[in-house]
Amino acid sequence: MKPDTKTALAERAKGVATTGKTLAGYLEDPKVKQGLQLAAAKHLDPERLMRVALSLARQPQLADCTPTSILSCVMQSAQLGLEPILGRCYYIPFNARKGEVWEKQAQFILGYQGLIELARRSGQIKMIYAEVVCRNDQFSYELGLNPDLKHVPAPGDRGEKVGVYAVVRYKDDGFNFIYLTKADVEKAKARSASVKSKRQSPWDTDEDAMWKKTAIRALRSVLPLQVEQALQVETEPGQLRPVDFDEAVAVDTETGEIIVDAEAEEVPNAEA
């Protein structure tokens, strides 16, 4: 292999695009700025999102990811109107094979708070939340014609986590809830792409939030269509399935090119 080829591959492995552009370089590109402005939800400040992204990209877990993969995460954040802070969403590093080499790519992962925010935007919900149940808590629930759920968290030491539930109350005062056991959560965790990557993930840093997110996702099966559609955002590296977006905007993770009117591709559910 020629030395210059080795150098190019080494740079890719370090997360440097073959164009030589850094994330900051991409974000300064007028075409990228225009794409972000076009993609961004109305309530989101693209300039603030770019500052947050640059700060995250300097952290050790993302420092070696390709700039274009981080840019793709930024674009997905813009489309959904969710900043990667406060558990709304995460940029998680994954190993991806490109030809003869492996490189680190950042992947957009929706968080518990992000799911809650998307559900509330549907306009159908008065309240939605999830809560972890611990062994020392007082907890009971009933199904059937008169469903009921009671939960009194124990003062002091609540003990180990034994389950989690999610509740939704609609504007017409109707409600639904779902309860998952610890075994149910562990099964979902085992399917998680971020856990399979064997790198630090939200399951390590925000375990309670991930239990709650798992319950909210399970609750989707009983939500009205309008609310369920608001939560149908599942991702793979570099891909986003848009719901009710005026225009689909994507990033070519090889070149960093902004693609407007990208076809919304059906992708499998990505567990996180």
Side-chain angles (χ1 to χ4, degrees):
M1 185 179 291
K2 296 179 180 180
D4 57 337
T5 305
K6 287 183 178 180
T7 301
L9 292 176
E11 287 182 346
R12 284 187 67 89
K14 291 178 182 178
V16 178
T18 52
T19 60
K21 271 191 178 181
T22 63
L23 178 64
Y26 279 112
L27 293 177
E28 287 299 319
D29 188 314
K31 290 183 179 179
V32 172
K33 286 187 173 182
Q34 182 181 13
L36 278 172
Q37 292 284 352
L38 179 64
K42 292 179 181 179
H43 65 277
L44 187 76
D45 180 355
E47 293 291 335
R48 173 181 161 83
L49 176 60
M50 287 191 287
R51 291 195 297 271
V52 172
L54 285 171
S55 177
L56 284 177
R58 287 192 289 267
Q59 296 183 10
Q61 62 268 35
L62 289 178
D64 291 336
C65 290
T66 60
T68 50
S69 68
I70 300 176
L71 179 60
S72 181
C73 293
V74 174
M75 190 62 65
Q76 292 172 16
S77 286
Q79 287 179 304
L80 295 176
L82 298 173
E83 294 181 345
I85 58 173
L86 302 177
R88 294 189 181 102
C89 61
Y90 304 89
Y91 300 168
I92 304 297
F94 285 85
N95 290 321
R97 188 164 187 167
K98 292 292 183 180
E100 298 179 2
V101 297
W102 289 84
E103 65 181 17
K104 291 190 176 75
Q105 292 188 358
Q107 178 178 345
F108 178 96
I109 298 293
L110 197 59
Y112 165 66
Q113 293 296 342
L115 277 175
I116 294 296
E117 191 167 325
L118 291 177
R120 286 174 175 162
R121 288 183 203 165
S122 71
Q124 306 292 313
I125 288 176
K126 180 184 292 186
M127 177 180 66
I128 184 170
Y129 71 96
E131 187 56 66
V132 171
V133 180
C134 297
R135 186 168 300 281
N136 297 334
D137 296 349
Q138 296 179 37
F139 177 77
S140 65
Y141 73 98
E142 296 180 9
L143 301 178
L145 295 177
N146 296 295
D148 190 31
L149 184 149
K150 295 180 180 179
H151 181 206
V152 181
D157 180 17
R158 295 178 60 193
E160 66 172 322
K161 292 189 283 290
V162 296
V164 62
Y165 62 90
V167 177
V168 58
R169 185 173 291 279
Y170 307 107
K171 290 191 172 179
D172 63 1
D173 283 331
F175 68 92
N176 284 114
F177 68 84
I178 196 165
Y179 175 74
L180 302 179
T181 65
K182 181 178 181 179
D184 294 328
V185 176
E186 291 295 335
K187 288 178 183 177
K189 179 180 178 181
R191 295 192 300 268
S192 167
S194 59
V195 171
K196 289 179 180 178
S197 73
K198 297 183 179 180
R199 299 179 65 84
Q200 188 180 64
S201 77
W203 284 101
D204 301 308
T205 60
D206 299 291
E207 186 179 56
D208 281 8
M210 294 306 291
W211 277 56
K212 293 176 181 180
K213 176 185 171 181
T214 302
I216 292 292
R217 294 180 74 163
L219 185 67
R220 282 171 44 175
S221 63
V222 297
L223 291 176
L225 181 61
Q226 300 95 322
V227 182
E228 201 275 337
Q229 285 179 335
L231 300 182
Q232 282 193 13
V233 179
E234 307 292 353
T235 64
E236 286 186 347
Q239 295 180 315
L240 177 68
R241 180 166 63 199
V243 177
D244 294 333
F245 293 152
D246 292 332
E247 292 181 275
V249 181
V251 176
D252 185 322
T253 54
E254 292 291 337
T255 66
E257 180 185 0
I258 299 296
I259 306 168
V260 181
D261 290 329
E263 183 179 354
E265 181 176 356
E266 290 293 325
V267 298
N269 287 355
E271 297 280 351

